[in-house]
Amino acid sequence: LDTIPQLPTQVLVIIDLDGEDDAPFNLLAMLTARAKAGTAKIIALATSPSETVIQKAKAAKISALLTKPVSPDQLADRINKLVA
């Protein structure tokens, strides 16, 4: 990402938030800093998000937080709503 000065005008990111560290949130911070204001659409996946993860997701301006397992139809529906 450091070699990309600015991301394209429309960006869709699907990211898994499960894990013990803040790596996904650090990545999201870098992506949103390079995306034009409001253009990054972010779908986050988590098995059973804690209140802390939910608050971090809100702070990261995640567009949608889906609880795993996610069906292909559910994911496709959410993508279509975000890019419409």
Side-chain angles (χ1 to χ4, degrees), residues 5-83:
Q6 187 170 351
L7 292 176
T9 56
Q10 291 189 353
V11 176
L12 173 66
V13 177
I14 301 172
I15 191 165
D16 191 330
L17 299 180
D18 287 341
E20 297 296 321
D21 59 17
D22 283 340
F25 295 103
N26 295 336
L27 176 62
L28 290 175
M30 288 190 317
L31 286 171
T32 55
R34 286 177 171 80
K36 291 184 180 179
T39 60
K41 304 297 184 194
I42 303 164
I43 299 174
L45 309 175
T47 302
S48 56
S50 65
E51 188 60 34
T52 301
V53 169
I54 292 169
Q55 292 306 315
K56 286 181 180 181
K58 287 179 183 178
K61 299 181 179 153
I62 288 175
S63 308
L65 177 59
L66 302 177
T67 303
K68 295 189 286 183
V70 178
S71 73
D73 288 340
Q74 182 184 14
L75 184 58
D77 181 59
R78 189 53 58 109
I79 291 169
N80 286 332
K81 287 179 182 175
L82 289 175
V83 299

